[in-house]
Amino acid sequence: MNKKMCYPGICFLAWVLFAGFQEVVAQNTELIAPEVETARTDAYEQQLENYLRHFLVEEYEARAAKQWNRDYSSPAALERSVSPNRRRWEEVLSPPVLFKTGPLETKPYPLGQVQAEWLTLPLGILTAEALFAFPEGASQQRPVPLVIVQHGIGSTPETPFSSGAYHEYAKGLLDAGFAVLLPMNLRSVERRNNVERYARLAGTSLPGIELVRVQHLLDVVLADPRVNAKRVGMWGVSLGGMATMFWMPLEPRIKAGVVSAWFNQRRNKMAVPDERYSSFSPREEHAFFNGWLTEFSDEDLVSLIVPRPLMIQHGKNDNIAHWPQVVEAYEKAAIHYQRLNIPEKIDLVLHEGGHEAIVSEGVQFLTNWLTASGKEK
C-alpha cells in the first residue's frame, strides 16, 4: 500500500487483516495439503457447473413444456394463454417505474445530409436520449411509420447511419419513408458489466431500465402528428437485436421487428462452451439475467411476440452462433406462426456474411408490414 495514500487507522486495520489472513492460511496448510484442497474445490466447482448446466440445458424442454400452455385456436387465444409467461418474462427484466420530470428537449443534430434532432427527456436522475429523424415529405397530413433503430455493443445512435456492419440501415429506412428513433443505450462491455451488477442488487436489469427509457420516449414521439402511431417497428443489430427480442413481448406498440445478429440456440450460447461459437462468459457478465433460461429460450420468447411480424437475420460467418443451431431454433420459433396459419409473418434471412444488418430484406419486410401499401392494414 502506498504510504502517501494510507491513513494511519486504515493502514493498521489492513495490516491486521493481512496478518490474520496469513495466519489462517498457515494454520490451514498444517491441516490439509494445498494440492488436496485445490483438487477438492475443483471437484466441487465442477459438480456445481454440471448441476446447473444440466438444469439449464438437458432439463429445459421438459421444464418449459410445463410452463407454457399455448392455445393456438386464434391469435387472441394465444396471447391470453401466454399471459402468465409474459408476467414472468417481465420479472426477468424487472423494469423499474420511472416518471417524466420535465418536458422533452430537442436540438438540431445534423448527420451529413440527414437533418436529425437529439432528444433528451428527463426521468428524475436519469434521462432518455435518442436521435430522431424524419423522411422527406412527412407532415401532419402525411404521417409516416416509425422504426426504433437500436445500436449494439461498441456502437452509438449515430452508427446505423454509417457503413461497416450497419450498412447505413437507418438511412435505408429514411429513404423508404420511415421516421427513425435511435435510442442511446450504454455501449461498452465494461460499462454494462459495471451497471448490471448494481441493477441486480436493485432488483432490476439494464435492459429493463433501457426499455422504460424507450417507452417514455415513445410516449412523446408518437404524439407528434407527423408520426403514424399505429405503425411502429423495431430493428436492432447485435445487442440491439437483444433489445428487440426482449422488449417486443412487453411493448405492444411495436408492431413488427427485425432481429439482426442476435437470435440463437440460447441454451447452448449461454451455458455450453463450444469452439464453433463465441461465449459471453467470462468477459460479458452483463449478458446474464436472473431466470432467463427457466423457460425463455429464443424460440419460446418468440411466442410472446406472435402474431406480430418478425424477421431473423443471421450470417453463416457470424461467430455468435453455429448457424445450423440458429436454423434449428428458428424452425421451432416458426411453429408458433404456422399453428396460427400465418407463416408469412416470420422470416429467416440466412446469409453468407457475418455480424451485420442485411438492409434490403429488412427494409422490405418492414415496408410490407408497416406501410399503407403493405400487408398490415
Side-chain angles (χ1 to χ4, degrees):
M1 185 177 290
N2 188 337
K3 294 181 179 179
K4 293 181 180 179
M5 300 295 294
C6 184
Y7 293 100
I10 296 176
C11 284
F12 177 74
L13 177 60
W15 179 83
V16 169
L17 292 173
F18 181 68
F21 172 75
Q22 288 184 309
E23 183 179 355
V24 168
V25 170
Q27 291 174 348
N28 196 51
T29 57
E30 293 176 2
L31 300 173
I32 181 172
E35 62 272 16
V36 174
E37 192 283 326
T38 298
R40 183 176 64 186
T41 300
D42 287 348
Y44 177 43
E45 180 186 21
Q46 191 61 57
Q47 288 175 18
L48 290 169
E49 282 194 18
N50 291 342
Y51 163 71
L52 291 168
R53 189 174 290 123
H54 182 77
F55 173 83
L56 294 170
V57 180
E58 281 81 8
E59 293 184 349
Y60 180 86
E61 295 287 354
R63 179 173 64 253
K66 296 177 182 177
Q67 295 295 99
W68 295 90
N69 296 286
R70 301 179 183 94
D71 181 349
Y72 292 103
S73 60
S74 72
L78 178 62
E79 290 189 80
R80 285 195 304 273
S81 69
V82 299
S83 59
N85 308 82
R86 195 183 309 278
R87 288 193 295 270
R88 290 194 291 272
W89 176 244
E90 187 172 20
E91 291 174 0
V92 172
L93 296 191
S94 297
V97 177
L98 301 175
F99 298 96
K100 301 175 187 68
T101 53
L104 180 72
E105 301 172 14
T106 65
K107 65 177 182 180
Y109 198 90
L111 294 167
Q113 300 301 313
V114 176
Q115 299 304 308
E117 295 179 315
W118 187 265
L119 309 184
T120 303
L121 183 65
L123 303 171
I125 294 174
L126 294 174
T127 58
E129 297 181 82
L131 280 172
F132 189 37
F134 280 95
E136 291 186 11
S139 66
Q140 184 172 354
Q141 292 71 37
R142 185 177 171 272
V144 295
L146 172 76
V147 176
I148 303 163
V149 175
Q150 189 60 66
H151 68 83
I153 283 282
S155 302
T156 71
E158 294 85 356
T159 308
F161 286 102
S162 70
S163 56
Y166 286 81
H167 301 302
E168 299 182 306
Y169 83 98
K171 186 176 184 300
L173 287 165
L174 278 176
D175 292 343
F178 294 93
V180 289
L181 178 71
L182 300 98
M184 174 188 164
N185 283 351
L186 201 58
R187 67 185 296 261
S188 77
V189 169
E190 294 75 18
R191 294 176 191 275
R192 293 190 76 90
N193 285 347
N194 176 50
V195 172
E196 192 63 53
R197 285 190 287 266
Y198 287 110
R200 289 170 188 156
L201 292 173
T204 184
S205 70
L206 185 49
I209 294 170
E210 291 176 336
L211 164 62
V212 177
R213 291 167 72 247
V214 167
Q215 289 176 318
H216 278 287
L217 283 170
L218 282 178
D219 292 342
V220 293
V221 165
L222 296 185
D224 190 311
R226 296 171 293 175
V227 175
N228 186 332
K230 295 182 179 180
R231 299 183 186 274
V232 179
M234 184 169 180
W235 185 350
V237 177
S238 191
L239 210 70
M242 179 194 80
T244 306
M245 285 280 294
F246 278 19
W247 297 351
M248 284 188 71
L250 302 179
E251 181 42 78
R253 289 176 291 185
I254 303 172
K255 303 299 184 183
V258 178
V259 175
S260 300
W262 173 260
F263 189 86
N264 222 305
Q265 208 292 12
R266 188 57 52 189
R267 297 172 320 268
N268 285 353
K269 172 69 174 179
M270 305 307 297
V272 182
D274 193 312
E275 62 182 11
R276 295 174 298 178
Y277 53 81
S278 61
S279 175
F280 285 124
S281 179
R283 179 170 175 259
E284 298 196 45
E285 181 186 344
H286 68 90
F288 294 81
F289 306 102
N290 291 333
W292 185 5
L293 290 186
T294 54
E295 61 189 278
F296 299 110
S297 201
D298 288 17
E299 65 270 18
D300 284 316
L301 192 56
V302 166
S303 67
L304 298 181
I305 295 173
V306 177
R308 291 168 288 172
L310 183 68
M311 171 178 277
I312 306 299
Q313 298 186 348
H314 182 75
K316 290 183 179 180
N317 290 303
D318 186 350
N319 74 346
I320 68 161
H322 181 47
W323 71 262
Q325 294 181 1
V326 173
V327 173
E328 178 187 358
Y330 170 80
E331 290 174 347
K332 292 179 180 178
I335 290 172
H336 307 305
Y337 290 83
Q338 294 161 2
R339 293 284 299 273
L340 291 173
N341 296 314
I342 50 172
E344 70 280 3
K345 285 192 171 186
I346 188 168
D347 192 15
L348 172 64
V349 175
L350 186 67
H351 55 92
E352 299 300 322
H355 199 66
E356 59 189 307
I358 303 301
V359 180
S360 58
E361 286 88 340
V363 169
Q364 187 59 57
F365 185 81
L366 292 173
T367 299
N368 287 345
W369 293 108
L370 293 177
T371 66
S373 59
K375 303 171 184 175
E376 191 73 83
K377 302 298 184 182

